């Protein structure tokens, strides 16, 4: 089990990876992978004022993206 990774890898579930797995997005501020919203295959992090928001880019089957979230 890892507690940290070198600068070329990302810590995710106590292991080091080159990229975040599907359904997760890399957070540069924490150097970790964060889970995308429900039913979302890929997402991005957008800054809003002083906070960040996850915006879905691609959804699972039978869902589609509307305003950054997956709906049926």
């Amino acid at each position: 089990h890892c507690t940290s990774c070198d600068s070329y890898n990302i810590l995710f579930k106590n292991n080091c990876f080159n990229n975040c797995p599907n359904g997760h997005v890399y957070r540069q501020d924490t150097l970790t992978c964060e889970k995308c919203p429900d039913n979302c295959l890929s997402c991005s992090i957008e800054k809003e004022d002083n906070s960040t928001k996850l915006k879905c880019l691609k959804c699972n089957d039978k869902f589609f993206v509307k305003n950054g979230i997956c709906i049926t």
Side-chain angles (χ1 to χ4, degrees):
H1 291 273
C2 299
T3 56
S4 65
C5 302
D6 61 33
S7 61
Y8 300 102
N9 287 296
I10 302 164
L11 182 64
F12 180 70
K13 293 189 176 181
N14 298 319
N15 291 293
C16 294
F17 296 93
N18 291 330
N19 298 302
C20 292
N22 286 343
H24 294 76
V25 63
Y26 177 65
R27 287 196 65 118
Q28 194 165 6
D29 57 342
T30 60
L31 306 176
T32 59
C33 298
E34 184 168 330
K35 187 179 183 314
C36 293
D38 290 343
N39 301 305
C40 187
L41 287 176
S42 65
C43 61
S44 65
I45 297 175
E46 297 199 349
K47 295 186 188 298
E48 287 186 359
D49 301 321
N50 290 333
S51 65
T52 57
K53 181 179 180 180
L54 294 175
K55 182 178 180 182
C56 192
L57 302 173
K58 185 176 180 185
C59 299
N60 291 328
D61 291 342
K62 300 181 183 176
F63 290 87
F64 65 94
V65 177
K66 183 173 183 181
N67 299 324
I69 60 172
C70 294
I71 61 173
T72 54

